[in-house]
Amino acid sequence: MGKYRKKYRISSARASFRDYSQEGLYYITICTFHRETIFGHIENHTMMLSPEGNIVQEEWNKSFD
């Protein structure tokens, strides 16, 4: 593990054999501080977004315009 700006960096979780520049489906996990559930909750197998969760969804959708 090397240092960047005098701080330790963790190794990449990316698969070294994968070309991430190509189109495809990707699974993304967002982990919050202390794993707090600030983006919403699951209700009857459906994600119910909080106001913060709606912001994340709106910004995510803007990424593909």
Side-chain angles (χ1 to χ4, degrees):
M1 184 177 346
K3 281 190 173 186
Y4 175 73
R5 295 187 180 177
K6 299 181 182 179
K7 294 182 179 178
Y8 285 101
R9 297 183 68 183
I10 62 170
S11 301
S12 175
R14 289 182 166 205
S16 60
F17 55 85
R18 178 87 173 146
D19 179 4
Y20 289 95
S21 66
Q22 300 299 313
E23 249 184 60
L25 299 175
Y26 297 94
Y27 181 83
I28 296 175
T29 301
I30 300 174
C31 190
T32 60
F33 184 66
H34 291 303
R35 298 185 181 268
E36 293 181 42
T37 54
I38 61 173
F39 300 121
H41 65 279
I42 305 292
E43 189 175 296
N44 295 325
H45 305 288
T46 303
M47 182 67 189
M48 308 301 289
L49 295 174
S50 67
E52 294 85 358
N54 281 316
I55 292 169
V56 171
Q57 183 177 46
E58 288 172 16
E59 294 302 317
W60 175 262
N61 290 337
K62 286 182 191 176
S63 299
F64 303 101
D65 287 339

Coordinates of all heavy atoms in Angstrom, one line a residue:
M1 N 0.9 -1.2 0.0 CA 0.0 0.0 0.0 C 0.9 1.2 0.0 O 1.8 1.4 0.8 CB -0.9 0.0 1.2 CG -1.9 1.1 1.3 SD -3.1 1.1 2.7 CE -3.0 -0.5 3.4
G2 N 0.7 2.1 -1.0 CA 1.5 3.3 -1.0 C 0.8 4.5 -0.3 O -0.2 4.4 0.3
K3 N 1.5 5.6 -0.4 CA 1.0 6.9 0.2 C 0.7 7.9 -0.9 O 1.4 7.9 -1.9 CB 2.0 7.5 1.2 CG 2.0 6.8 2.5 CD 2.8 7.6 3.5 CE 2.7 7.0 4.9 NZ 3.3 7.9 5.9
Y4 N -0.3 8.7 -0.7 CA -0.7 9.7 -1.6 C -0.9 11.0 -0.8 O -1.8 10.9 0.1 CB -1.9 9.4 -2.4 CG -2.4 10.5 -3.3 CD1 -1.7 10.9 -4.4 CD2 -3.6 11.2 -3.0 CE1 -2.2 11.9 -5.2 CE2 -4.0 12.3 -3.7 CZ -3.3 12.6 -4.9 OH -3.7 13.7 -5.6
R5 N -0.2 12.0 -1.0 CA -0.3 13.2 -0.2 C -0.2 12.9 1.3 O -1.0 13.3 2.1 CB -1.6 14.0 -0.5 CG -1.6 14.5 -1.9 CD -2.8 15.4 -2.1 NE -2.8 15.9 -3.4 CZ -3.7 16.6 -4.0 NH1 -4.7 17.0 -3.3 NH2 -3.6 17.0 -5.2
K6 N 0.8 12.0 1.6 CA 1.1 11.6 3.0 C 0.0 10.8 3.7 O 0.0 10.8 4.9 CB 1.5 12.8 3.8 CG 2.7 13.6 3.3 CD 3.1 14.7 4.2 CE 4.3 15.4 3.6 NZ 4.7 16.6 4.4
K7 N -0.9 10.3 2.9 CA -2.0 9.5 3.5 C -1.9 8.1 2.8 O -1.6 8.0 1.6 CB -3.4 10.1 3.2 CG -3.6 11.4 3.9 CD -4.9 11.9 3.7 CE -5.2 13.2 4.4 NZ -6.5 13.8 4.2
Y8 N -2.3 7.1 3.5 CA -2.3 5.7 3.0 C -3.5 5.6 2.0 O -4.6 6.2 2.3 CB -2.4 4.7 4.1 CG -1.1 4.5 4.8 CD1 -0.9 5.1 6.0 CD2 -0.1 3.7 4.2 CE1 0.3 4.9 6.7 CE2 1.1 3.6 4.9 CZ 1.3 4.1 6.1 OH 2.5 4.0 6.7
R9 N -3.3 4.8 1.0 CA -4.4 4.5 0.1 C -4.7 3.0 0.1 O -3.8 2.2 0.2 CB -4.0 4.9 -1.4 CG -3.7 6.4 -1.5 CD -3.3 6.7 -2.9 NE -4.5 6.5 -3.7 CZ -4.5 6.7 -5.0 NH1 -3.4 7.0 -5.7 NH2 -5.6 6.5 -5.7
I10 N -6.0 2.7 0.0 CA -6.3 1.3 -0.1 C -6.1 0.8 -1.6 O -6.2 1.6 -2.5 CB -7.8 1.0 0.4 CG1 -8.8 1.8 -0.5 CG2 -7.9 1.4 1.8 CD1 -10.2 1.4 -0.2
S11 N -6.0 -0.5 -1.7 CA -5.8 -1.0 -3.1 C -7.2 -0.9 -3.8 O -8.2 -1.0 -3.1 CB -5.4 -2.5 -3.0 OG -4.2 -2.6 -2.3
S12 N -7.1 -0.9 -5.1 CA -8.4 -0.8 -5.9 C -9.2 -2.1 -5.8 O -8.6 -3.2 -5.8 CB -8.0 -0.5 -7.3 OG -9.2 -0.5 -8.1
A13 N -10.5 -1.9 -5.7 CA -11.3 -3.1 -5.7 C -11.7 -3.5 -7.1 O -12.4 -4.5 -7.3 CB -12.6 -2.8 -4.9
R14 N -11.2 -2.8 -8.1 CA -11.5 -3.1 -9.5 C -10.8 -4.4 -10.0 O -9.7 -4.6 -9.6 CB -11.1 -2.0 -10.4 CG -12.0 -0.7 -10.3 CD -11.5 0.3 -11.2 NE -12.5 1.4 -11.3 CZ -12.7 2.1 -12.4 NH1 -11.8 2.0 -13.4 NH2 -13.6 3.1 -12.4
A15 N -11.5 -5.1 -10.8 CA -10.9 -6.3 -11.4 C -9.8 -5.9 -12.4 O -10.1 -5.1 -13.3 CB -11.9 -7.2 -12.0
S16 N -8.6 -6.4 -12.2 CA -7.5 -5.9 -13.1 C -7.7 -6.4 -14.5 O -7.1 -5.8 -15.4 CB -6.2 -6.5 -12.5 OG -6.2 -7.9 -12.4
F17 N -8.4 -7.5 -14.7 CA -8.6 -8.0 -16.1 C -9.8 -7.3 -16.8 O -10.0 -7.6 -18.0 CB -8.9 -9.5 -16.0 CG -10.1 -9.9 -15.1 CD1 -11.4 -9.8 -15.5 CD2 -9.8 -10.2 -13.8 CE1 -12.4 -10.1 -14.7 CE2 -10.9 -10.5 -12.9 CZ -12.2 -10.5 -13.4
R18 N -10.5 -6.4 -16.2 CA -11.7 -5.8 -16.8 C -11.4 -4.5 -17.4 O -10.6 -3.7 -16.8 CB -12.8 -5.7 -15.7 CG -14.0 -5.0 -16.1 CD -15.0 -6.0 -16.6 NE -16.2 -5.3 -16.9 CZ -17.1 -5.6 -17.8 NH1 -16.8 -6.5 -18.7 NH2 -18.2 -4.9 -18.0
D19 N -12.0 -4.2 -18.6 CA -11.8 -2.9 -19.2 C -13.0 -2.1 -18.9 O -14.1 -2.2 -19.5 CB -11.7 -3.1 -20.8 CG -11.6 -1.8 -21.5 OD1 -11.5 -0.7 -20.8 OD2 -11.5 -1.8 -22.7
Y20 N -12.9 -1.2 -17.9 CA -14.0 -0.4 -17.4 C -14.4 0.8 -18.4 O -15.3 1.5 -18.1 CB -13.7 0.1 -16.0 CG -13.7 -1.0 -15.0 CD1 -12.6 -1.6 -14.6 CD2 -14.9 -1.4 -14.4 CE1 -12.6 -2.6 -13.7 CE2 -14.9 -2.4 -13.5 CZ -13.8 -3.0 -13.1 OH -13.8 -4.0 -12.2
S21 N -13.6 1.0 -19.5 CA -14.0 2.0 -20.4 C -15.1 1.6 -21.4 O -15.6 2.5 -22.1 CB -12.7 2.5 -21.2 OG -12.3 1.4 -22.0
Q22 N -15.4 0.4 -21.4 CA -16.5 -0.1 -22.3 C -17.9 0.0 -21.7 O -18.0 0.0 -20.5 CB -16.2 -1.6 -22.6 CG -14.9 -1.9 -23.3 CD -14.8 -1.1 -24.6 OE1 -15.7 -1.2 -25.4 NE2 -13.7 -0.4 -24.8
E23 N -18.9 0.1 -22.6 CA -20.3 0.2 -22.1 C -20.6 -1.1 -21.4 O -20.1 -2.2 -21.8 CB -21.2 0.3 -23.3 CG -21.9 1.6 -23.4 CD -22.8 1.7 -24.5 OE1 -23.8 0.9 -24.5 OE2 -22.6 2.6 -25.3
G24 N -21.5 -1.1 -20.4 CA -21.9 -2.3 -19.7 C -22.7 -1.9 -18.5 O -23.0 -0.7 -18.2
L25 N -23.2 -2.9 -17.8 CA -23.9 -2.7 -16.6 C -23.0 -2.8 -15.4 O -22.1 -3.8 -15.4 CB -25.0 -3.8 -16.4 CG -26.1 -3.8 -17.5 CD1 -27.0 -5.0 -17.3 CD2 -26.9 -2.5 -17.5
Y26 N -23.1 -1.9 -14.5 CA -22.2 -1.9 -13.4 C -23.0 -1.8 -12.1 O -23.9 -1.1 -12.0 CB -21.2 -0.7 -13.5 CG -20.3 -0.8 -14.7 CD1 -20.6 -0.2 -15.9 CD2 -19.1 -1.6 -14.6 CE1 -19.8 -0.3 -17.0 CE2 -18.3 -1.7 -15.7 CZ -18.6 -1.1 -16.9 OH -17.8 -1.2 -18.0
Y27 N -22.5 -2.5 -11.1 CA -23.2 -2.5 -9.8 C -22.3 -1.5 -8.9 O -21.1 -1.7 -8.8 CB -23.2 -3.9 -9.2 CG -23.8 -4.0 -7.8 CD1 -25.2 -4.1 -7.7 CD2 -23.1 -3.9 -6.7 CE1 -25.8 -4.2 -6.5 CE2 -23.7 -4.0 -5.4 CZ -25.1 -4.1 -5.4 OH -25.7 -4.2 -4.1
I28 N -23.0 -0.5 -8.3 CA -22.3 0.4 -7.5 C -22.9 0.4 -6.1 O -24.1 0.4 -5.9 CB -22.5 1.8 -8.1 CG1 -21.8 1.9 -9.5 CG2 -21.9 2.9 -7.2 CD1 -21.9 3.2 -10.2
T29 N -22.0 0.4 -5.1 CA -22.4 0.4 -3.7 C -22.0 1.7 -3.1 O -20.8 2.1 -3.3 CB -21.8 -0.7 -2.9 OG1 -22.2 -2.0 -3.5 CG2 -22.2 -0.7 -1.5
I30 N -22.9 2.4 -2.4 CA -22.6 3.6 -1.7 C -22.6 3.3 -0.2 O -23.7 2.9 0.3 CB -23.5 4.8 -2.0 CG1 -23.5 5.1 -3.5 CG2 -23.2 6.0 -1.2 CD1 -24.5 6.1 -4.0
C31 N -21.6 3.5 0.5 CA -21.5 3.2 1.9 C -21.4 4.5 2.7 O -20.5 5.3 2.4 CB -20.3 2.3 2.2 SG -20.4 1.6 3.9
T32 N -22.3 4.7 3.6 CA -22.3 6.0 4.3 C -21.6 5.8 5.7 O -21.3 4.7 6.1 CB -23.8 6.4 4.7 OG1 -24.4 5.4 5.4 CG2 -24.6 6.6 3.4
F33 N -21.2 7.0 6.2 CA -20.5 7.0 7.5 C -21.3 6.3 8.6 O -22.5 6.5 8.7 CB -20.3 8.5 7.9 CG -19.5 8.6 9.2 CD1 -18.2 8.3 9.2 CD2 -20.1 9.2 10.3 CE1 -17.4 8.5 10.4 CE2 -19.3 9.4 11.5 CZ -18.0 9.0 11.5
H34 N -20.7 5.3 9.2 CA -21.4 4.5 10.2 C -22.6 3.7 9.7 O -23.5 3.3 10.4 CB -21.8 5.3 11.5 CG -20.7 5.8 12.3 ND1 -19.8 5.0 12.9 CD2 -20.5 7.1 12.7 CE1 -18.9 5.8 13.5 NE2 -19.3 7.0 13.4
R35 N -22.6 3.5 8.3 CA -23.6 2.8 7.6 C -25.0 3.3 7.9 O -26.0 2.5 8.0 CB -23.5 1.3 7.9 CG -22.1 0.7 7.4 CD -22.1 -0.8 7.6 NE -20.8 -1.3 7.2 CZ -20.5 -1.7 6.0 NH1 -21.4 -1.7 5.0 NH2 -19.3 -2.2 5.7
E36 N -25.1 4.6 8.1 CA -26.4 5.2 8.4 C -27.3 5.1 7.1 O -26.8 5.2 6.0 CB -26.3 6.7 8.8 CG -25.6 6.8 10.1 CD -25.5 8.3 10.5 OE1 -26.4 9.0 10.3 OE2 -24.4 8.6 11.0
T37 N -28.6 4.9 7.4 CA -29.5 4.7 6.2 C -30.1 6.1 5.9 O -31.3 6.4 6.3 CB -30.6 3.7 6.6 OG1 -31.2 4.1 7.8 CG2 -30.1 2.3 6.7
I38 N -29.3 7.0 5.3 CA -29.8 8.3 5.0 C -30.5 8.5 3.6 O -31.1 9.5 3.3 CB -28.7 9.3 5.1 CG1 -27.6 9.0 4.1 CG2 -28.1 9.4 6.5 CD1 -26.5 10.1 4.0
F39 N -30.3 7.5 2.8 CA -30.9 7.6 1.4 C -32.3 7.0 1.3 O -32.9 7.2 0.3 CB -30.0 6.8 0.4 CG -28.6 7.4 0.4 CD1 -27.5 6.7 0.7 CD2 -28.4 8.8 0.1 CE1 -26.2 7.2 0.6 CE2 -27.1 9.3 0.0 CZ -26.0 8.5 0.3
G40 N -32.8 6.4 2.3 CA -34.2 5.8 2.3 C -34.3 4.5 3.0 O -33.4 4.2 3.8
H41 N -35.3 3.8 2.8 CA -35.5 2.5 3.4 C -36.3 1.6 2.5 O -36.9 2.0 1.5 CB -36.3 2.6 4.7 CG -37.7 3.1 4.6 ND1 -38.0 4.5 4.4 CD2 -38.9 2.5 4.5 CE1 -39.3 4.6 4.3 NE2 -39.9 3.4 4.3
I42 N -36.3 0.3 2.8 CA -37.0 -0.7 2.0 C -38.3 -1.0 2.6 O -38.4 -1.2 3.8 CB -36.2 -2.0 1.9 CG1 -34.8 -1.8 1.4 CG2 -36.9 -3.1 1.1 CD1 -34.6 -1.4 -0.1
E43 N -39.4 -0.9 1.8 CA -40.7 -1.2 2.2 C -41.4 -2.1 1.2 O -41.5 -1.7 0.0 CB -41.5 0.2 2.4 CG -42.8 0.1 3.0 CD -43.4 1.5 3.2 OE1 -42.8 2.2 4.0 OE2 -44.4 1.7 2.6
N44 N -41.8 -3.3 1.6 CA -42.5 -4.2 0.7 C -41.6 -4.4 -0.6 O -42.1 -4.3 -1.7 CB -43.9 -3.7 0.3 CG -44.8 -3.7 1.5 OD1 -44.7 -4.6 2.4 ND2 -45.7 -2.8 1.5
H45 N -40.3 -4.7 -0.4 CA -39.4 -4.9 -1.5 C -39.2 -3.8 -2.4 O -38.8 -4.0 -3.6 CB -39.8 -6.2 -2.2 CG -40.0 -7.4 -1.4 ND1 -38.9 -8.1 -0.8 CD2 -41.1 -8.0 -1.0 CE1 -39.4 -9.1 -0.1 NE2 -40.7 -9.1 -0.2
T46 N -39.5 -2.6 -2.0 CA -39.4 -1.4 -2.8 C -38.6 -0.3 -2.1 O -38.8 -0.1 -0.9 CB -40.8 -0.8 -3.1 OG1 -41.6 -1.8 -3.8 CG2 -40.7 0.4 -4.0
M47 N -37.7 0.3 -2.8 CA -36.9 1.4 -2.2 C -37.7 2.6 -2.1 O -38.2 3.2 -3.1 CB -35.6 1.6 -3.0 CG -34.7 2.7 -2.4 SD -33.9 2.1 -0.9 CE -33.1 3.5 -0.3
M48 N -37.8 3.1 -0.8 CA -38.5 4.4 -0.6 C -37.5 5.4 -0.3 O -36.8 5.4 0.8 CB -39.5 4.2 0.6 CG -40.4 3.1 0.5 SD -41.5 3.1 -0.9 CE -42.6 4.4 -0.5
L49 N -37.2 6.3 -1.2 CA -36.1 7.3 -1.1 C -36.5 8.4 -0.1 O -37.6 8.9 -0.1 CB -35.8 7.9 -2.5 CG -35.3 6.9 -3.5 CD1 -35.1 7.6 -4.9 CD2 -33.9 6.3 -3.1
S50 N -35.5 8.8 0.6 CA -35.6 10.0 1.5 C -35.3 11.2 0.6 O -34.9 11.1 -0.6 CB -34.6 9.9 2.6 OG -33.3 10.0 2.0
P51 N -35.5 12.4 1.1 CA -35.1 13.6 0.3 C -33.6 13.5 -0.2 O -33.3 13.9 -1.3 CB -35.3 14.8 1.3 CG -36.4 14.3 2.2 CD -36.1 12.8 2.4
E52 N -32.7 13.1 0.7 CA -31.3 12.9 0.3 C -31.2 11.8 -0.8 O -30.4 12.0 -1.8 CB -30.4 12.5 1.5 CG -30.3 13.6 2.5 CD -31.5 13.6 3.5 OE1 -32.4 12.8 3.4 OE2 -31.4 14.4 4.5
G53 N -32.0 10.8 -0.7 CA -32.0 9.7 -1.7 C -32.5 10.2 -3.1 O -31.9 9.8 -4.1
N54 N -33.4 11.1 -3.0 CA -34.0 11.7 -4.3 C -32.9 12.6 -4.9 O -32.8 12.5 -6.2 CB -35.2 12.5 -4.0 CG -36.4 11.7 -3.8 OD1 -36.7 10.7 -4.6 ND2 -37.2 12.0 -2.8
I55 N -32.1 13.3 -4.2 CA -31.0 14.1 -4.7 C -30.0 13.2 -5.4 O -29.6 13.5 -6.5 CB -30.3 14.9 -3.6 CG1 -31.3 16.0 -3.1 CG2 -29.0 15.6 -4.1 CD1 -30.8 16.7 -1.9
V56 N -29.6 12.1 -4.7 CA -28.7 11.2 -5.3 C -29.2 10.6 -6.7 O -28.5 10.6 -7.7 CB -28.3 10.0 -4.4 CG1 -27.5 9.0 -5.1 CG2 -27.6 10.6 -3.1
Q57 N -30.5 10.2 -6.7 CA -31.1 9.7 -7.9 C -31.1 10.7 -9.0 O -30.8 10.4 -10.2 CB -32.5 9.1 -7.6 CG -33.1 8.5 -8.8 CD -34.5 7.9 -8.5 OE1 -35.3 8.5 -7.9 NE2 -34.7 6.7 -9.0
E58 N -31.5 11.9 -8.7 CA -31.6 13.0 -9.7 C -30.2 13.3 -10.3 O -30.0 13.4 -11.5 CB -32.1 14.3 -9.1 CG -33.6 14.2 -8.8 CD -34.1 15.4 -8.0 OE1 -33.4 16.5 -8.0 OE2 -35.2 15.3 -7.5
E59 N -29.2 13.3 -9.4 CA -27.8 13.6 -9.9 C -27.3 12.4 -10.7 O -26.5 12.6 -11.7 CB -26.9 13.9 -8.7 CG -27.2 15.2 -8.0 CD -27.2 16.4 -9.0 OE1 -26.3 16.6 -9.8 OE2 -28.2 17.3 -8.9
W60 N -27.6 11.2 -10.3 CA -27.2 10.0 -11.0 C -27.8 10.1 -12.4 O -27.1 9.8 -13.4 CB -27.6 8.8 -10.3 CG -27.3 7.5 -11.0 CD1 -28.2 6.8 -11.8 CD2 -26.1 6.8 -11.1 NE1 -27.6 5.7 -12.4 CE2 -26.3 5.7 -12.0 CE3 -24.9 7.0 -10.6 CZ2 -25.3 4.8 -12.3 CZ3 -23.8 6.1 -10.9 CH2 -24.1 5.0 -11.7
N61 N -29.1 10.4 -12.5 CA -29.7 10.4 -13.8 C -29.2 11.5 -14.7 O -29.1 11.3 -15.9 CB -31.2 10.6 -13.7 CG -31.9 9.4 -13.1 OD1 -31.4 8.3 -13.2 ND2 -33.0 9.6 -12.5
K62 N -28.7 12.6 -14.2 CA -28.1 13.7 -14.9 C -26.8 13.2 -15.6 O -26.4 13.8 -16.6 CB -27.8 14.9 -14.0 CG -29.0 15.7 -13.7 CD -28.6 16.9 -12.8 CE -29.7 17.6 -12.2 NZ -29.3 18.7 -11.3
S63 N -26.1 12.3 -15.0 CA -24.9 11.8 -15.4 C -24.9 11.2 -16.8 O -23.9 11.0 -17.5 CB -24.3 10.7 -14.5 OG -24.1 11.3 -13.2
F64 N -26.1 10.8 -17.3 CA -26.3 10.1 -18.5 C -27.0 10.9 -19.6 O -27.4 10.4 -20.6 CB -27.0 8.8 -18.3 CG -26.3 7.9 -17.3 CD1 -26.8 7.9 -16.0 CD2 -25.2 7.2 -17.6 CE1 -26.1 7.1 -15.0 CE2 -24.5 6.5 -16.7 CZ -25.0 6.4 -15.4
D65 N -27.2 12.2 -19.3 CA -27.8 13.1 -20.3 C -26.9 13.5 -21.4 O -25.7 13.6 -21.2 CB -28.5 14.3 -19.6 CG -29.7 14.0 -18.8 OD1 -30.3 12.9 -19.1 OD2 -30.1 14.7 -18.0

